[in-house]
Amino acid sequence: MSLTKEQIAQRIAKELKDGYYVNLGIGIPTLVANYIPKGMNVVLQSENGLLGMGPFPYEGEEDADLINAGKQTITTVPGSAFFDSAMSFGMIRAGKVDLTVLGAMEVSEQGDIANWKIPGKMVKGMGGAMDLVASAKNIIVAMMHTNPKGESKLLPACTLPLTGTKCIKKIVTEIAVLDVTGNGFKLLERAPGVSVEEIVSKTAGKLTVEGEIPEMQF
Amino acid sequence: MSLTKEQIAQRIAKELKDGYYVNLGIGIPTLVANYIPKGMNVVLQSENGLLGMGPFPYEGEEDADLINAGKQTITTVPGSAFFDSAMSFGMIRAGKVDLTVLGAMEVSEQGDIANWKIPGKMVKGMGGAMDLVASAKNIIVAMMHTNPKGESKLLPACTLPLTGTKCIKKIVTEIAVLDVTGNGFKLLERAPGVSVEEIVSKTAGKLTVEGEIPEMQF
Amino acid sequence: MNKTYKNAEEAVADIKDGSVLMLGGFGLCGIPENCIAALVKKGPRQLTCISNNAGVDDFGIGLMLKQKQVKKMISSYVGENAEFERQLLSGELEVDLIPQGTLAERIRAGGAGIPAVFTPAGVGTEVAEGKETRVFKDKEYLLEYAFDADFAIVKAWKGDTDGNLIYKETARNFNPLMAMAGKVTIAEVEELVAPGELDPNQVHTPGIYVHRIFQGVNYEKRIEQRTVRKNV
Amino acid sequence: MNKTYKNAEEAVADIKDGSVLMLGGFGLCGIPENCIAALVKKGPRQLTCISNNAGVDDFGIGLMLKQKQVKKMISSYVGENAEFERQLLSGELEVDLIPQGTLAERIRAGGAGIPAVFTPAGVGTEVAEGKETRVFKDKEYLLEYAFDADFAIVKAWKGDTDGNLIYKETARNFNPLMAMAGKVTIAEVEELVAPGELDPNQVHTPGIYVHRIFQGVNYEKRIEQRTVRKNV
């Protein structure tokens, strides 16, 4: 059975480690914050200038001066710090952020990612995505395995304009967890009840399946 | 009669304008702060990270965390701000400082300056001098007209290792005020009682003397 | 040295057709609301606006777009604005999209007297087209040039009449960088105080960068995405 | 995530012979006194020290020089130190003198993931020898490379156990830049507090840059040039 978006986030949360500084993109990645294990100290970076992002504010406590990179009202946690956009991307560029989670339209078997532009459609801009993928040492993509037309989003090569090249290390979709290796995608885990055959059929890029593929544990 | 060091500083202070941000080097330049006209708002920048430098502290009020670029204990004035060394030299480099006053061992008729190194002697380092001369739009050199051996410090070309090239616009010595033009030094004023002949004899670089040269006014 | 202006109208009075502006803010957070309103009223056209975003249809830079005052936007993300899309598709508006971190660094470079820096964002993408690349320690980078502007227009929380500024929370964003990079920097603040009232240790933008300052009025501070959790 | 260390000895315990260190401070102002004392006690040698100055004979980095722990100094000004001069003239010590603003910018670049920048300082001087130059808008610049370090050792006024730092007055200087640029950053603070006790709006160095932090003891804070005016 395919994972829900919440379950994808929950699975990604298992990659967190104590002391990690993490940047979560808009969409499914944002949900990862809800599954940080109790007692684990994970600090969320918001690239508009905050370390130590907390949950949404209670009704009536929204502060227009306190938003995240998705322009949502948020709160801070004890030990937070504000800074300007140059310092924010400086820490991203210098590899100080331990884990970056973002969405994608396509990922290639080389680890290239496309997630900012669809030819013929209004271009909204790349925001901070190109900076993140160009510098982060540890990037997990959270996305659906196929697009709304049912076509695989894990491709031999991206067809859409690239956001970055050879940068994605791991992908979590509603049916699988995969690494991106020097030799294409490698299947690590499958969603409970989802067959290896289904994953193979929905993966257009080169996919390695070695031995027994375990079901994801939550 | 030659000017005292205090009088050189006093003459340079006449170049100040209301609202100027000014960086004063070590030595005679530091004394300029004592002659800022009453009611004129001049903000002193200290390149170790302060805008709004005040006078020395009263005895017993020295603060080890509050020094100027000469490592002297100082105070602040209302409206001051502290910042790091990158921002400090950023504002210098971006031309935000209106006037820089510094000492020199030699100045050439091209506006080159040498003030950091004497071959054969211990090299102490250039500190911030090279940054200042490379970027300041308005630099005045405060120095003696001749060295202790009586040799002119205003030369056709510097003999010592350079601090910067084609950057000095004005020189105030104990006997003269001179501009550095595209055509060598130009005599503007002479110290009270000092003859044009004396200045000419003590200036080794090309010197233009046009018309009556007035005495400095204090 | 009088940097204090009465209001936004006075502070932007000499902004002319064809000026290059930087406008602080991220989304609608920390934007110079008063100056934007004054620019809409005054009406200079053919403006180039360097700003991370382009506002929404009826707020922020969107108000200037609606009046067709903007010739070119230099931004990282412009997705919240239908009028923007219309003008872009019709060819009335140019847009230069720049990765957000590169945009920040290019503005910071302009404010720090650094003409160009090398950054990795966009290598191997269309952003790299036509740009000089260089490899340092086995990684490829793009040569990116500094930005400056005729006027940098920023919004701060508190300021003093010497131009020292303190920003609040994430309303800081691009504001301190742009303040450094303006040939003329105009700051609007929620609270304008006398020199000495701000702690010099806490100043984010030293006054040397600010040429004009005034206390703004009637801040709306519109929230783009109001997200809350239920009261327990 | 435990960044808190008991003391300087513990914090510098893995600094080995041949390490590249950055040490914060300007003159003797804002130097990591506790860590320097611990390094003198522990005794690693063949160190490369990036620091604006080299201390004085009996304080600051001068203490490490006296013990011949330093192979190379990278500084802008080293004039306050007779032992330094002796070792330099005898060839025991290397020194790389760098304009102060370029030094600051190269460290900041290292901490911001920028591999190289163009700066004007030193053009036409011996500092430019062997360096790539380029003209931007009719002005010549030098290509300067980023610095990083195995360990950046900084001193702050206040810090929290998450590593957030606030510096005091001109003791800030190179400290925040070096904090950004260390592969491992060690911060000693005068007062160590719990997360939440520092105003997040006033933090100078966000905790992400700091790997180890401890509350220092017995700060001497020696004054290099005690200058005063007479009490009226």
Side-chain angles (χ1 to χ4, degrees), chain A residues 14-106:
Chain A
K14 293 187 70 176
E15 305 290 322
L16 298 172
K17 292 194 179 125
D18 190 52
Y20 259 21
Y21 290 91
V22 178
N23 183 292
L24 301 175
I26 296 168
I28 301 174
T30 302
L31 302 173
V32 173
N34 301 332
Y35 299 99
I36 298 170
K38 279 256 177 292
M40 185 182 283
N41 195 343
V42 167
V43 180
L44 301 180
Q45 199 248 20
S46 190
E47 68 263 27
N48 55 317
L50 169 62
L51 270 170
M53 179 163 58
F56 295 145
Y58 289 116
E59 275 179 31
E61 295 182 2
E62 309 91 319
D63 177 352
D65 292 320
L66 182 47
I67 65 169
N68 65 16
K71 282 105 182 177
Q72 299 171 311
T73 47
I74 49 158
T75 58
T76 59
V77 299
S80 61
F82 296 106
F83 36 84
D84 66 46
S85 302
M87 179 175 266
S88 185
F89 283 93
M91 62 182 69
I92 288 167
R93 225 185 279 110
K96 304 291 177 184
V97 174
D98 298 293
L99 175 63
T100 297
V101 184
L102 39 72
M105 300 171 186
E106 295 176 349

Side-chain angles (χ1 to χ4, degrees), chain A residues 102-104 106-117 126 128-136 139 141 157-158 160-169, chain C residues 99 120-128 139:
Chain A
L102 39 72
E106 295 176 349
V107 177
S108 84
E109 64 187 41
Q110 310 286 326
D112 299 347
I113 177 172
N115 74 348
W116 77 285
K117 186 175 180 179
M126 67 294 279
M130 283 193 183
D131 308 275
L132 282 159
V133 301
S135 297
I139 307 177
V141 161
C158 292
L160 295 170
L162 295 180
T163 308
T165 61
K166 299 194 177 80
C167 51
I168 306 305
K169 300 283 186 294
Chain C
V123 167
T125 76
E126 62 184 55
V127 164
K139 187 172 163 125

Side-chain angles (χ1 to χ4, degrees), chain C residues 16 41 108 114 116 126 133 168 202 223:
Chain C
K16 294 192 185 69
K41 192 170 155 199
R108 189 262 170 196
I114 301 288
E126 62 184 55
T133 65
K168 191 178 169 207
Q202 293 169 18
I223 291 174

Side-chain angles (χ1 to χ4, degrees), chain B residues 18 21 41 79-80 82 93-94 96, chain C residues 1 3 111-112 164 180 182 196 200:
Chain B
D18 190 51
Y21 290 91
N41 195 342
S80 62
F82 297 106
R93 227 185 277 110
K96 305 290 178 184
Chain C
M1 179 169 64
K3 297 182 172 184
N164 294 298
M180 292 163 66

Side-chain angles (χ1 to χ4, degrees), chain D residues 21-36:
Chain D
L21 310 184
M22 288 180 182
L23 294 127
F26 179 93
L28 302 180
C29 182
I31 62 173
E33 295 185 18
N34 280 242
C35 284
I36 291 172

Side-chain angles (χ1 to χ4, degrees), chain C residues 137-151:
Chain C
K137 294 185 185 167
D138 296 328
K139 187 172 163 125
E140 195 174 342
Y141 295 84
L142 305 181
L143 179 68
E144 298 279 6
Y145 296 91
F147 275 125
D148 60 13
D150 299 320
F151 297 89

Side-chain angles (χ1 to χ4, degrees), chain B residues 18-21 41-43 45 51 76-83 86-91 93-94 96-98, chain C residues 1-3 108 110-114 160 162 164 179-183 195-196 200-201 203-204 206-209 211:
Chain B
D18 190 51
Y20 260 22
Y21 290 91
N41 195 342
V42 167
V43 180
Q45 200 248 19
L51 269 170
T76 59
V77 298
S80 62
F82 297 106
F83 35 85
M87 179 175 265
S88 185
F89 284 92
M91 62 182 70
R93 227 185 277 110
K96 305 290 178 184
V97 174
D98 298 292
Chain C
M1 179 169 64
N2 183 18
K3 297 182 172 184
R108 189 262 170 196
I114 301 288
D160 70 23
D162 281 353
N164 294 298
M180 292 163 66
K183 284 175 206 151
N201 219 29
V203 167
H204 296 133
I208 193 170
Y209 293 115
H211 305 91

